[in-house]
Structures are given as structure tokens and as C-alpha cells.
Amino acid sequence: MQIKCVGESGTTASGDILIKIEPCEGEDIDVEIYSTVGKQFSRQIKTAIINTLQELNVSGIRVLAKDNGALDYAIKARTQTAVCRAGKVLSFDWGVLSDEQNKENDAVCSR
Amino acid sequence: MLKNAIGREIPERIEGLGELTPYQGPFAIRPKNRRRGPQLRQVEPGEKKLLPNLEKALIETGAHDGMTISFHHHFREGDYLLDKVIDAAARIGLKNLVIAPSSLTNVHSSLIEHIKNGVIKRIETSGLRGSLGEFISKGMMDTPVIIRSHGGRARAIEAGETKIDIAFLSVSSCDNYGNASGCVGRNVCGALGYAMVDAKYAEKVVLVTDTLVDYPNVPASIDQTDVDHIVVIDAIGDSGGIMSGPLRHTSSPRDLLIAEYTAKVVEYSGYFKDGFSIQSGSGGASLAVARFLRDKMLEKNITASFMMGGISAQHTVMLKEGFVRKLYDTQTFDLEAVKSLAENPNHVEISAAYYANPHSKGAVVNCLDVGILSALEIDTDFNVNVITGSDGIIRGASGGHSDIAAGAKLKIVIAPLVRKRMPIVVDRVNTVTTPGETIDVLVTDWGIAVNQKQPELMAVLGKTGLPLYDIKELQEKAESITGRPDLIKYTDRIVGIVEYRDGSIIDVIRQVM
């Protein structure tokens, strides 16, 4: 997915994360994380963000994450939304999600 | 290093604190000493007690380098006095002071400057929060802080382990001979339960007030026979501050679910009958438990003999409505409750010693049926941490937690399974303040675990349809939601020791990296 502008999603409320994505030179993904649970979870937060970006085939961006104890599914959803906003995507192609994610979604829907 | 009875490594001695006794069990240590009171003094007729300012009071009471001064924390986040006294001590050049307040809150971060400049050498307290807690956790003091429970502090003072040279006690009103109250005055704080102990046992007692009233200011919580001097200042604190701190009123569905489960555990436990007694904490869910129990008491047409706490408006309404016959109050949590303490003879002020000192002829905690307790973390042995955060930094208070857990018949810890991605039920808590052998039940929003040491209770609750789990299952559930947290890295350096209520050491707090 092509990143065209700055995209933001989420809040800094308890249990949420604020993700800001902006385009930058090159093909790198640069992630900066500020988290209230950083000592115990910054590694896992970074993994969740990068996996989500890779699923959407996004690179050449800078990500700023302000986390207040969000769980992985919230991190994933906020990242997806920030990417779509930064890519000016108006309708999300659910097909780009990994099989694993689709299975998770199916499981949630059938509950 | 020695291992104590719960497997924590305790050094045999610490520079500046001396020999340490490892924790051996909740009632293993029997007291051998006598109560240690202050030197007798004769105040003669005509002598005046009023002094013009705090500096003068320090000089008049023989303040010297290295002495111990104490304070109370009844004003919580609204306290002005501690800062003013330490500033005054700094101005007259005092160094290496030991401060022994009943607790410290977020407003006391200015102490950091006085630790850096050598005015304060050592701290004994129940709690530490905010930037001061962080500063100490990062190893910025030479001598570790001592963390004590409210009962443990009363014990240490009565036993002469904490020898207070001067107690500076803010009181809402006072006459010129030292009769003082927390219920009358420009800035009220209600009960003076912690201060009452200091007033009895400190070598010198200085009362500080902003409301000087005509003699005699009775009924008095602290009386003239214990008071050396009185200083009048502009403002001792902000009454509004007693409401802040950890107190919350909740509409959170998660807190309400925990409260509902807890009320059911109490109801089915066998202790819920006419004349039962209960202490509930200051958290949102704890306060909600009392509301649920109120409905059940109506249903069963029973009343409680007494409640204690942290007394808040909710308790006083239950007293007025006749749901409970007496309230024991060591510390008052809001202005409604202050009003009740002043007006209602069944709302009774008690000292921290009366409330919880284990080495006495019987503290109130011994008479409690049910204790509802909070937790920052609880582990699969039911050990509870209420002092350090999940990141290892000191941000809590020992309070009456271990006192109630030791004394009450049914001890219930309530906590959400996950708090801001942090699993609350863990393999091993960062710091133990309350030993698991004194906890019976854990209630979370995902289910309830009963300590294996209580098979009868387990059998009773098993028949109720409540969601019962092994505590290990709850721990696994928590981790499946949050992911496994990376371990906190500590250095070997000890920044705090946690005393159990009997004076033995239940755990140490190490410097975070």
C-alpha cells in the first residue's frame, strides 16, 4: 500500500494506543514507542505493529506509537486504520489480511 | 542472605538499619519488650505552649542532626505541613534527619531536593508515590526506606524501635494548651488515628494548626497532657485533598462485576449473618461491594455490628440508615464522613494501635469477620503486592493490608485479571507485602480462586454456581490475554525493606535498572 500523507488513529486513553504514521525516504520501517508498560511489553508492541504493516505491505514509513496498555488486537486495529488514513484508502480490502487474521475474525463473528 | 518463610532472600543486616529478622509466619514472633514512652515532663501552671513559628518549635524542642521527626498523612494529597517543617529544618541547618510519616503521597515530591542536599537521610513510611517513589526506586538514597503497615508502624513506635524525637502533627483546631481535633476548624481532616499514636509516644509533640480556638477544645483527639508546643500557621492543608489519592467511585462494568462476585462470596461464606463485621478498602470495586451487600442485608433483614476503614460517605449513610451499628474510623476519606464523625456518637475515632497493632492485647482487626483487600499484583501462592508497580517502581502503600489479612476471619482480595495490559495474577509478585497464607479468596472479573488452605470454603463456594478456578488457571488466562511480560531488570542494590506487621522482614525492594 502506498503511504501518501500523515495518518493517525487511536487515543491515549487507558487500554488504547495512538498510532501516527508518516511517509519517509527509503524502504525502512522506523518505529518509536512510548508505553506505560514499555519495560514489559515494548518488544511485543513493536512486533504487533510491524507484523500488521507487513500484512498490508507497507514500508518506507515512520511510526510513532503512544501506548497506554493496549492489547495486541487493539494495536493491530489502530495500525490498520492509521495506514488506511495515511494511504487515503476509502474502502478497506479485507482480503489483504493474513489467513490467520481472517480466521481470527471468523472466530469472533461466529461467537 | 537468608530465605524467609515465603522463600524471599533477606540480608542478615543492612548498613544504617542493623540486623534484620526474616519473616517466619503471621504470628511467629512473640513480643518480649515493654512499651517505650517519652521522658516524663512537668509543665507548670502559667507556662505557655504557643510558639511563633516552626523554626522556633524546632529549636525549642531540641532539634538536632540525625534525629527522627514524624508526621501524619490524614490530609493525604492536601498536606502542607511536612514540606513546611522540612523547609524550616533546612533553614536552620539541620542535616541527616530520619523522617517517619504515617505515609507519603504525591504532594511530597519536594522531599527529593532535601534528600539530595543532605537534610533527609532516611525514610520510614507506609507508602510512597509519584516522583519520590521513582527517585528512591532508582537507588538515589544511601539507606533503604522502611515500609510498614499501619499496625506495624504503631507497633514499632510503641516498642521503641521507631524512636520519634519530635512529632509535628497538623490538627484542624487546637486551643492554647493542646487539646486538638480533626473535625473542627478551617481545614478539617476527620479522624486523627495515626497522629494519636505519635502524640502518645514521641519525645516532644508539636501541634500545628490554622484554627486556634478558645480553651477547652473538647472533645479532643489529642489532649493537652501529651502536647509540648503549639504553632499557628496560615494553612495546615487542604481539606479537599483527603478525597483524592486512590479513592474512586465507579460505574465501570468490570468493577461492578468484581463487586457482585465478591458480595456473593461474602453472602455464601457463612459469615454473612446478623452482627457480622466488615472492612472494605478504598478502591472503586471495594466501595461497590458495600453497596451490593446493603441490598442483601435488606433482603435477609440483618445488620452489621461494625464496619471500619477508610470511612467514606457511603459508610456513614449505612450507619444513619441502621445497616451498621458502629463505625471504627482511623482515617476519614471525605468531608461527609468528617461531618458524621463530628456528629454521630456511633461513628468512633480510633488510633492506629487500637486498629491494628499486633503486639497489643487485641487490635480491632482481630474482631473482623470479613476483610476486602486490593492488590497491585497477586501470585499463585496468593502472596500480594500493594507497594511496587508491575515495572518494579514503588508506587503504593502497605496501609492496613497485611493487618487485616492477618486478623480477619475471611480475607478476600479483589482485582481485575488484567490492568492496562499488565497481568495482575502472576507467577511471582515483584514485592510481597502480605503473605499468601493470610489470604483466603481471590475475586477477579474472570473468575474466583480459593486458597487450597481453605478446603471447607472451597466446598461451600463450589455449590453456588460462582465461576471457581484454580489460581494457576487464572494466571494462565491473564497471560493468554496480555502476552508474557518481559522480566523487570533489577540491580543487587536494596532500596527498600518491607516489614511485616510484627517487625520481621517479608521482602526487600531492589533498584530498578
Side-chain angles (χ1 to χ4, degrees):
Chain A
M1 191 184 295
Q2 191 63 39
I3 298 301
K4 297 171 180 153
C5 61
V6 174
E8 233 181 56
S9 167
T11 70
T12 53
S14 176
D16 201 355
I17 186 168
L18 179 70
I19 301 265
K20 186 179 170 189
I21 283 175
E22 54 186 27
C24 68
E25 297 289 309
E27 289 301 300
D28 288 348
I29 297 175
D30 175 27
V31 184
E32 202 175 334
I33 296 169
Y34 299 93
S35 172
T36 53
V37 293
K39 270 190 190 166
Q40 300 94 327
F41 287 109
S42 58
R43 203 172 44 81
Q44 290 176 58
I45 295 166
K46 190 170 179 179
T47 307
I49 292 171
I50 290 192
N51 286 349
T52 309
L53 293 171
Q54 281 170 350
E55 275 171 16
L56 298 172
N57 208 9
V58 177
S59 62
I61 56 164
R62 186 160 31 236
V63 182
L64 177 69
K66 286 185 188 162
D67 172 60
N68 194 1
L71 295 170
D72 274 359
Y73 59 76
I75 298 172
K76 213 173 220 180
R78 293 306 192 192
T79 308
Q80 286 166 348
T81 308
V83 166
C84 290
R85 285 174 182 163
K88 298 197 171 171
V89 175
L90 296 177
S91 62
F92 188 69
D93 176 10
W94 296 97
V96 304
L97 296 179
S98 66
D99 286 349
E100 195 193 335
Q101 169 83 57
N102 279 323
K103 264 185 226 150
E104 268 177 44
N105 291 347
D106 287 347
V108 170
C109 292
S110 63
R111 230 175 250 166
Chain B
M1 290 279 175
L2 293 170
K3 275 203 174 160
N4 68 12
I6 53 161
R8 299 277 166 152
E9 288 198 339
I10 311 295
E12 281 154 79
R13 61 171 291 121
I14 286 183
E15 186 64 34
L17 298 177
E19 307 283 329
L20 306 181
T21 308
Y23 167 76
Q24 293 150 45
F27 300 102
I29 293 181
R30 300 193 170 260
K32 294 184 192 76
N33 298 330
R34 298 182 157 267
R35 280 188 186 152
R36 292 274 290 270
Q39 167 77 49
L40 293 174
R41 218 194 129 197
Q42 176 169 271
V43 172
E44 290 175 21
E47 261 185 62
K48 301 271 188 279
K49 294 188 180 182
L50 274 173
L51 290 174
N53 55 47
L54 296 170
E55 281 97 328
K56 191 83 181 148
L58 280 161
I59 294 162
E60 199 66 31
T61 47
H64 54 273
D65 290 353
M67 69 170 184
T68 299
I69 49 179
S70 78
F71 305 89
H72 69 68
H73 73 291
H74 289 288
F75 278 98
R76 298 153 69 80
E77 301 291 346
D79 175 53
Y80 298 164
L81 184 67
L82 198 151
D83 280 357
K84 284 181 200 276
V85 171
I86 303 297
D87 284 345
R91 278 197 297 274
I92 63 170
L94 292 170
K95 294 275 181 201
N96 296 325
L97 301 177
V98 177
I99 62 163
S102 50
S103 200
L104 292 168
T105 60
N106 286 304
V107 296
H108 299 119
S109 54
S110 61
L111 293 183
I112 291 173
E113 268 324 295
H114 290 304
I115 295 168
K116 283 185 184 160
N117 65 25
V119 175
I120 295 169
K121 182 168 182 262
R122 198 163 76 66
I123 296 176
E124 301 179 7
T125 180
S126 161
L128 281 168
R129 297 173 194 277
S131 49
L132 182 61
E134 207 163 313
F135 176 82
I136 289 166
S137 297
K138 287 182 176 158
M140 307 301 275
M141 287 190 86
D142 291 334
T143 311
V145 296
I146 301 178
I147 303 292
R148 287 198 182 93
S149 71
H150 293 324
R153 178 178 189 268
R155 180 204 60 75
I157 291 171
E158 291 196 356
E161 285 169 30
T162 295
K163 287 184 198 135
I164 301 168
D165 292 297
I166 313 172
F168 279 92
L169 306 173
S170 51
V171 292
S172 304
S173 63
C174 185
D175 59 38
N176 64 6
Y177 217 53
N179 296 296
S181 158
C183 291
V184 179
R186 280 199 285 134
N187 289 293
V188 290
C189 64
L192 287 168
Y194 307 119
M196 288 159 94
V197 180
D198 301 41
K200 281 274 171 237
Y201 293 91
E203 262 330 300
K204 294 285 164 72
V205 175
V206 178
L207 298 187
V208 184
T209 189
D210 51 23
T211 310
L212 190 68
V213 296
D214 289 343
Y215 186 89
N217 186 31
V218 283
S221 305
I222 295 171
D223 78 65
Q224 61 186 54
T225 61
D226 290 321
V227 177
D228 293 272
H229 297 292
I230 298 137
V231 176
V232 181
I233 61 174
D234 290 344
I236 52 167
D238 170 14
S239 278
I242 67 174
M243 190 76 187
S244 58
L247 277 181
R248 287 173 292 133
H249 285 280
T250 191
S251 57
S252 139
R254 185 176 69 176
D255 282 351
L256 292 172
L257 181 63
I258 294 171
E260 196 185 325
Y261 284 158
T262 309
K264 283 186 179 151
V265 169
V266 173
E267 185 186 3
Y268 298 135
S269 67
Y271 295 109
F272 190 65
K273 50 194 179 199
D274 196 48
F276 82 110
S277 58
I278 186 166
Q279 149 127 10
S280 57
S282 54
S286 285
L287 292 172
V289 172
R291 291 201 289 275
F292 281 107
L293 283 177
R294 182 182 177 280
D295 294 343
K296 291 187 194 292
M297 289 162 79
L298 261 181
E299 220 176 277
K300 289 200 161 184
N301 195 24
I302 61 172
T303 57
S305 56
F306 74 89
M307 290 184 180
M308 58 189 243
I311 296 294
S312 62
Q314 194 176 301
H315 293 99
T316 65
V317 170
M318 289 180 82
L319 179 68
K320 250 193 232 162
E321 292 174 341
F323 284 95
V324 55
R325 292 168 226 160
K326 305 275 176 184
L327 296 180
Y328 273 131
D329 192 349
T330 320
Q331 178 179 25
T332 315
F333 276 160
D334 58 45
L335 296 176
E336 267 304 298
V338 174
K339 200 161 163 258
S340 161
L341 179 61
E343 292 169 358
N344 193 328
N346 292 318
H347 182 161
V348 181
E349 181 181 27
I350 60 170
S351 76
Y354 187 166
Y355 163 47
N357 180 358
H359 292 172
S360 73
K361 293 172 189 174
V364 173
V365 293
N366 293 2
C367 307
L368 254 188
D369 289 326
V370 182
I372 313 269
L373 302 163
S374 62
L376 291 172
E377 296 177 312
I378 178 166
D379 66 25
T380 49
D381 293 326
F382 288 84
N383 293 318
V384 180
N385 169 17
V386 289
I387 189 74
T388 51
S390 305
D391 54 1
I393 288 176
I394 307 173
R395 61 170 89 255
S398 172
H401 201 285
S402 60
D403 299 312
I404 294 153
K409 295 192 186 80
L410 174 67
K411 296 75 75 102
I412 307 172
V413 166
I414 64 173
L417 192 70
V418 171
R419 196 184 272 138
K420 280 196 191 183
R421 192 169 190 160
M422 293 311 311
I424 301 308
V425 187
V426 296
D427 285 337
R428 187 176 191 276
V429 290
N430 277 309
T431 313
V432 180
T433 45
T434 300
E437 63 194 295
T438 62
I439 299 296
D440 300 323
V441 188
L442 165 68
V443 178
T444 75
D445 44 343
W446 286 80
I448 297 163
V450 181
N451 196 329
Q452 284 183 345
K453 291 184 171 130
Q454 298 294 346
E456 282 168 31
L457 184 64
M458 208 182 283
V460 168
L461 294 180
K463 291 182 202 136
T464 60
L466 284 167
L468 290 195
Y469 296 92
D470 188 293
I471 193 163
K472 289 203 176 67
E473 291 176 288
L474 289 179
Q475 183 265 323
E476 282 159 16
K477 179 74 202 170
E479 210 169 278
S480 76
I481 294 168
T482 64
R484 191 170 182 81
D486 293 340
L487 288 177
I488 305 295
K489 292 195 182 85
Y490 295 99
T491 71
D492 285 341
R493 173 122 179 257
I494 292 170
V495 299
I497 63 171
V498 183
E499 259 192 32
Y500 189 59
R501 58 201 299 259
D502 64 4
S504 65
I505 307 304
I506 190 149
D507 208 349
V508 296
I509 304 169
R510 288 177 200 277
Q511 179 187 354
V512 288
M513 273 174 148

